[in-house]
Amino acid sequence: MDYNCTLVDLPTTIRSFVRANPDGSYTIVINARLGYDEQCAAYVHELNHILYKDFDDTRTDVVERRTHETSRNLRPGFDG
């Protein structure tokens, strides 16, 4: 699994996102305006989307619920 991660000044309403690239790699974009702990949590969240192959699942509510739960298990105390 190949992926890149970058920090970008995004609107405060966007924490992070991940996109699949045409070459099969992924790009994780994290809002540079977040604090370090929030950036780490966002990274874990987006990495889980890649690991669980969420791009193939159209059930957004199920995907987000599982990703948030998994993120909390990997980073105790994270509520995002």
Side-chain angles (χ1 to χ4, degrees):
M1 162 182 62
D2 290 329
Y3 65 93
N4 298 301
C5 184
T6 186
L7 295 173
V8 176
D9 284 336
L10 297 170
T12 57
T13 56
I14 301 172
R15 292 174 44 86
S16 60
F17 62 90
V18 62
R19 70 174 185 184
N21 299 317
D23 66 358
S25 68
Y26 298 89
T27 299
I28 297 173
V29 179
I30 299 175
N31 194 334
R33 300 170 196 249
L34 298 175
Y36 177 76
D37 288 341
E38 290 176 298
Q39 289 175 350
C40 289
Y43 172 79
V44 169
H45 178 92
E46 300 305 338
L47 191 57
N48 278 326
H49 282 305
I50 296 169
L51 294 172
Y52 285 101
K53 301 179 188 213
D54 290 340
F55 295 92
D56 299 330
D57 197 332
T58 59
R59 302 167 302 156
T60 307
D61 57 333
V62 173
V63 166
E64 284 301 317
R65 188 173 337 119
R66 184 198 62 244
T67 301
H68 283 276
E69 184 60 33
T70 304
S71 296
R72 274 193 290 275
N73 291 338
L74 293 175
R75 292 187 53 83
F78 169 60
D79 293 326

